[in-house]
Amino acid sequence: MIIGGLIASISLALIAIGVMTTLVPLYATGLGFTPHHIGWIAGIYYVGFLIGPWLAPPLVQRLGSGRAFAVAALLALGGIIALPLFPHPAAWAAIRFVSGTGFALLYILAEAGLNAEVDNAGRGRLLSLYMIASKAALITGQFAVGLLGVSGWAPFVLASGVVALAAVVRLRVPVGAVLPAAGRLRPLRVIRAAPVAMAGCVIYGLGEASLYALGPVYAQANGMSVREVSAFMTAVLLGAALAQWPLGWLSDRIDRRRAILLGAVGTVIAGAALGLPARPALAAALAGSFVLGGCLLPLYGLLVALGNDTATREERVEIGSGLVFAYAVGAMVGPPAAAALMEVTPRGLPLWLAGLYTVQTLVLLVALRRRMPLAQPL
């Protein structure tokens, strides 16, 4: 009941993220925003992810996890419904910042609650189940965009409505507040406690945020229609959903870093293939995006599991806040950097991802060779 309610509430919120992932860049393109504008708007959105981790510990201490989730949902909802009212890049950047803060809090609170309900032996599988539900929600959002299109109020109303429903569901979950040990985030302590997970979350943020922000732009630049762009992004999410459970199962049976290494190597191969000079046919592009999503997107759940392996129940919010903060550092920089590369070549996005995960592969190989600890207590 508790785990199901937690997953249901965050999944509803993630339907909204699925809608906005495609809606924001395509709607912005229709308003005349350049790839440079879109990249910076995405980067500012992730500045909100830098702020959310600092707000989570004191917010949970004062309000409890359920009401803190409702406050986060209100921020996210407001940042969705206000976008069509202010069709200017600077206004969109400010509004997306508010939305990013809200969604960061939603992630932190959901993941802290889930990690508090499981031990290490099943952590990878539970977080994989959570990530599968998340990807199913994101796919649902993608399909909604394909059905509703990217003009008018309908997709914005749908996205804000499911966020409001998420708050209602979360308030009905019978779970006590997971209070943090400290009322503030201490990033350096989290880095010492989980160095590999923190480094991995930075790289994941650099890559995943770029993929979500500019994947539709990459697909459109390679001649795809709106429906084909939606299919391209859906293939990314479908690959992630199908690969998540096997990788999570594997990570509960071997060193989690080796499971992460497998995904990193696959991301390098898929990114390099999509970055070949010739424009890919639609079938080849969909196959490449499927493999890319299956290798890259499951890694966040494995990194969260790795970071939480030695944390106590009271440390979950701070560990989760630290990992989201690390992710946000990467996510804030990734889209503008990838957008700059895309202005040089329309294949810049997959080449960017291949380069990032070459670095991630090297980091993991060094950690395994030096026998660095998986994680340490705070």
Side-chain angles (χ1 to χ4, degrees), residues 162-180:
V162 291
V163 172
L165 184 57
V168 173
V169 171
R170 178 61 184 85
L171 287 169
R172 296 178 65 85
V173 174
V175 60
V178 184
L179 293 177

PDB file of all heavy atoms in Angstrom, residues 162-180:
ATOM      1  N   VAL A 162      -2.628  16.480 -13.972  1.00  0.00           N
ATOM      2  CA  VAL A 162      -2.095  15.235 -13.399  1.00  0.00           C
ATOM      3  C   VAL A 162      -1.153  15.530 -12.224  1.00  0.00           C
ATOM      4  O   VAL A 162      -1.041  14.729 -11.295  1.00  0.00           O
ATOM      5  CB  VAL A 162      -1.399  14.356 -14.460  1.00  0.00           C
ATOM      6  CG1 VAL A 162      -2.406  13.786 -15.433  1.00  0.00           C
ATOM      7  CG2 VAL A 162      -0.295  15.094 -15.191  1.00  0.00           C
ATOM      8  N   VAL A 163      -0.494  16.687 -12.237  1.00  0.00           N
ATOM      9  CA  VAL A 163       0.329  17.064 -11.082  1.00  0.00           C
ATOM     10  C   VAL A 163      -0.555  17.293  -9.849  1.00  0.00           C
ATOM     11  O   VAL A 163      -0.230  16.871  -8.740  1.00  0.00           O
ATOM     12  CB  VAL A 163       1.174  18.311 -11.394  1.00  0.00           C
ATOM     13  CG1 VAL A 163       1.882  18.807 -10.133  1.00  0.00           C
ATOM     14  CG2 VAL A 163       2.211  18.006 -12.464  1.00  0.00           C
ATOM     15  N   ALA A 164      -1.677  17.970 -10.050  1.00  0.00           N
ATOM     16  CA  ALA A 164      -2.613  18.180  -8.931  1.00  0.00           C
ATOM     17  C   ALA A 164      -3.127  16.845  -8.402  1.00  0.00           C
ATOM     18  O   ALA A 164      -3.222  16.628  -7.178  1.00  0.00           O
ATOM     19  CB  ALA A 164      -3.778  19.051  -9.396  1.00  0.00           C
ATOM     20  N   LEU A 165      -3.437  15.913  -9.294  1.00  0.00           N
ATOM     21  CA  LEU A 165      -3.902  14.589  -8.872  1.00  0.00           C
ATOM     22  C   LEU A 165      -2.814  13.841  -8.100  1.00  0.00           C
ATOM     23  O   LEU A 165      -3.104  13.121  -7.139  1.00  0.00           O
ATOM     24  CB  LEU A 165      -4.339  13.788 -10.097  1.00  0.00           C
ATOM     25  CG  LEU A 165      -4.934  12.403  -9.841  1.00  0.00           C
ATOM     26  CD1 LEU A 165      -6.152  12.483  -8.922  1.00  0.00           C
ATOM     27  CD2 LEU A 165      -5.296  11.730 -11.169  1.00  0.00           C
ATOM     28  N   ALA A 166      -1.557  14.011  -8.509  1.00  0.00           N
ATOM     29  CA  ALA A 166      -0.445  13.383  -7.798  1.00  0.00           C
ATOM     30  C   ALA A 166      -0.397  13.823  -6.337  1.00  0.00           C
ATOM     31  O   ALA A 166      -0.156  13.011  -5.431  1.00  0.00           O
ATOM     32  CB  ALA A 166       0.877  13.721  -8.487  1.00  0.00           C
ATOM     33  N   ALA A 167      -0.611  15.110  -6.092  1.00  0.00           N
ATOM     34  CA  ALA A 167      -0.604  15.618  -4.721  1.00  0.00           C
ATOM     35  C   ALA A 167      -1.729  14.995  -3.900  1.00  0.00           C
ATOM     36  O   ALA A 167      -1.537  14.630  -2.724  1.00  0.00           O
ATOM     37  CB  ALA A 167      -0.728  17.136  -4.722  1.00  0.00           C
ATOM     38  N   VAL A 168      -2.911  14.850  -4.499  1.00  0.00           N
ATOM     39  CA  VAL A 168      -4.048  14.245  -3.797  1.00  0.00           C
ATOM     40  C   VAL A 168      -3.723  12.800  -3.414  1.00  0.00           C
ATOM     41  O   VAL A 168      -3.959  12.366  -2.278  1.00  0.00           O
ATOM     42  CB  VAL A 168      -5.318  14.299  -4.675  1.00  0.00           C
ATOM     43  CG1 VAL A 168      -6.448  13.508  -4.021  1.00  0.00           C
ATOM     44  CG2 VAL A 168      -5.736  15.746  -4.907  1.00  0.00           C
ATOM     45  N   VAL A 169      -3.157  12.043  -4.354  1.00  0.00           N
ATOM     46  CA  VAL A 169      -2.806  10.641  -4.082  1.00  0.00           C
ATOM     47  C   VAL A 169      -1.772  10.557  -2.968  1.00  0.00           C
ATOM     48  O   VAL A 169      -1.891   9.739  -2.041  1.00  0.00           O
ATOM     49  CB  VAL A 169      -2.282   9.968  -5.369  1.00  0.00           C
ATOM     50  CG1 VAL A 169      -1.716   8.579  -5.062  1.00  0.00           C
ATOM     51  CG2 VAL A 169      -3.407   9.860  -6.397  1.00  0.00           C
ATOM     52  N   ARG A 170      -0.744  11.407  -3.031  1.00  0.00           N
ATOM     53  CA  ARG A 170       0.336  11.344  -2.021  1.00  0.00           C
ATOM     54  C   ARG A 170      -0.179  11.672  -0.625  1.00  0.00           C
ATOM     55  O   ARG A 170       0.259  11.067   0.368  1.00  0.00           O
ATOM     56  CB  ARG A 170       1.459  12.309  -2.416  1.00  0.00           C
ATOM     57  CG  ARG A 170       2.622  12.363  -1.427  1.00  0.00           C
ATOM     58  CD  ARG A 170       3.286  11.006  -1.288  1.00  0.00           C
ATOM     59  NE  ARG A 170       4.331  11.039  -0.282  1.00  0.00           N
ATOM     60  CZ  ARG A 170       4.125  10.867   1.021  1.00  0.00           C
ATOM     61  NH1 ARG A 170       2.894  10.666   1.484  1.00  0.00           N
ATOM     62  NH2 ARG A 170       5.122  10.893   1.869  1.00  0.00           N
ATOM     63  N   LEU A 171      -1.094  12.599  -0.515  1.00  0.00           N
ATOM     64  CA  LEU A 171      -1.626  12.966   0.799  1.00  0.00           C
ATOM     65  C   LEU A 171      -2.432  11.836   1.427  1.00  0.00           C
ATOM     66  O   LEU A 171      -2.647  11.823   2.643  1.00  0.00           O
ATOM     67  CB  LEU A 171      -2.479  14.227   0.685  1.00  0.00           C
ATOM     68  CG  LEU A 171      -1.702  15.536   0.466  1.00  0.00           C
ATOM     69  CD1 LEU A 171      -2.651  16.663   0.111  1.00  0.00           C
ATOM     70  CD2 LEU A 171      -0.879  15.887   1.698  1.00  0.00           C
ATOM     71  N   ARG A 172      -2.872  10.872   0.619  1.00  0.00           N
ATOM     72  CA  ARG A 172      -3.641   9.740   1.126  1.00  0.00           C
ATOM     73  C   ARG A 172      -2.779   8.523   1.455  1.00  0.00           C
ATOM     74  O   ARG A 172      -3.292   7.515   1.930  1.00  0.00           O
ATOM     75  CB  ARG A 172      -4.719   9.346   0.115  1.00  0.00           C
ATOM     76  CG  ARG A 172      -5.771  10.430  -0.110  1.00  0.00           C
ATOM     77  CD  ARG A 172      -6.785  10.012  -1.148  1.00  0.00           C
ATOM     78  NE  ARG A 172      -7.580   8.865  -0.694  1.00  0.00           N
ATOM     79  CZ  ARG A 172      -8.671   8.940   0.071  1.00  0.00           C
ATOM     80  NH1 ARG A 172      -9.104  10.138   0.475  1.00  0.00           N
ATOM     81  NH2 ARG A 172      -9.329   7.855   0.423  1.00  0.00           N
ATOM     82  N   VAL A 173      -1.471   8.612   1.203  1.00  0.00           N
ATOM     83  CA  VAL A 173      -0.576   7.487   1.502  1.00  0.00           C
ATOM     84  C   VAL A 173      -0.284   7.465   2.995  1.00  0.00           C
ATOM     85  O   VAL A 173       0.193   8.453   3.559  1.00  0.00           O
ATOM     86  CB  VAL A 173       0.745   7.611   0.707  1.00  0.00           C
ATOM     87  CG1 VAL A 173       1.725   6.526   1.130  1.00  0.00           C
ATOM     88  CG2 VAL A 173       0.468   7.513  -0.784  1.00  0.00           C
ATOM     89  N   PRO A 174      -0.546   6.336   3.681  1.00  0.00           N
ATOM     90  CA  PRO A 174      -0.347   6.272   5.134  1.00  0.00           C
ATOM     91  C   PRO A 174       1.099   6.010   5.504  1.00  0.00           C
ATOM     92  O   PRO A 174       1.473   4.923   5.947  1.00  0.00           O
ATOM     93  CB  PRO A 174      -1.235   5.100   5.534  1.00  0.00           C
ATOM     94  CG  PRO A 174      -1.192   4.195   4.353  1.00  0.00           C
ATOM     95  CD  PRO A 174      -1.111   5.096   3.145  1.00  0.00           C
ATOM     96  N   VAL A 175       1.962   7.004   5.290  1.00  0.00           N
ATOM     97  CA  VAL A 175       3.377   6.849   5.626  1.00  0.00           C
ATOM     98  C   VAL A 175       3.806   8.034   6.471  1.00  0.00           C
ATOM     99  O   VAL A 175       3.434   9.170   6.215  1.00  0.00           O
ATOM    100  CB  VAL A 175       4.250   6.734   4.354  1.00  0.00           C
ATOM    101  CG1 VAL A 175       4.128   7.968   3.494  1.00  0.00           C
ATOM    102  CG2 VAL A 175       5.707   6.486   4.704  1.00  0.00           C
ATOM    103  N   GLY A 176       4.602   7.758   7.502  1.00  0.00           N
ATOM    104  CA  GLY A 176       5.100   8.826   8.352  1.00  0.00           C
ATOM    105  C   GLY A 176       6.191   9.611   7.663  1.00  0.00           C
ATOM    106  O   GLY A 176       6.793   9.163   6.691  1.00  0.00           O
ATOM    107  N   ALA A 177       6.451  10.807   8.167  1.00  0.00           N
ATOM    108  CA  ALA A 177       7.496  11.649   7.589  1.00  0.00           C
ATOM    109  C   ALA A 177       8.850  10.995   7.769  1.00  0.00           C
ATOM    110  O   ALA A 177       9.186  10.501   8.836  1.00  0.00           O
ATOM    111  CB  ALA A 177       7.494  13.028   8.248  1.00  0.00           C
ATOM    112  N   VAL A 178       9.662  10.949   6.703  1.00  0.00           N
ATOM    113  CA  VAL A 178      11.028  10.461   6.784  1.00  0.00           C
ATOM    114  C   VAL A 178      11.912  11.657   7.110  1.00  0.00           C
ATOM    115  O   VAL A 178      12.371  12.374   6.226  1.00  0.00           O
ATOM    116  CB  VAL A 178      11.450   9.801   5.450  1.00  0.00           C
ATOM    117  CG1 VAL A 178      12.846   9.216   5.566  1.00  0.00           C
ATOM    118  CG2 VAL A 178      10.453   8.724   5.064  1.00  0.00           C
ATOM    119  N   LEU A 179      12.102  11.915   8.390  1.00  0.00           N
ATOM    120  CA  LEU A 179      12.782  13.142   8.790  1.00  0.00           C
ATOM    121  C   LEU A 179      14.283  13.042   8.554  1.00  0.00           C
ATOM    122  O   LEU A 179      14.907  12.028   8.875  1.00  0.00           O
ATOM    123  CB  LEU A 179      12.523  13.425  10.279  1.00  0.00           C
ATOM    124  CG  LEU A 179      11.074  13.773  10.634  1.00  0.00           C
ATOM    125  CD1 LEU A 179      10.953  13.963  12.133  1.00  0.00           C
ATOM    126  CD2 LEU A 179      10.617  15.022   9.909  1.00  0.00           C
ATOM    127  N   PRO A 180      14.898  14.076   7.984  1.00  0.00           N
ATOM    128  CA  PRO A 180      16.337  14.052   7.780  1.00  0.00           C
ATOM    129  C   PRO A 180      17.078  14.203   9.094  1.00  0.00           C
ATOM    130  O   PRO A 180      16.565  14.772  10.060  1.00  0.00           O
ATOM    131  CB  PRO A 180      16.585  15.270   6.885  1.00  0.00           C
ATOM    132  CG  PRO A 180      15.440  16.183   7.157  1.00  0.00           C
ATOM    133  CD  PRO A 180      14.277  15.299   7.486  1.00  0.00           C
TER     134      PRO A 180
END
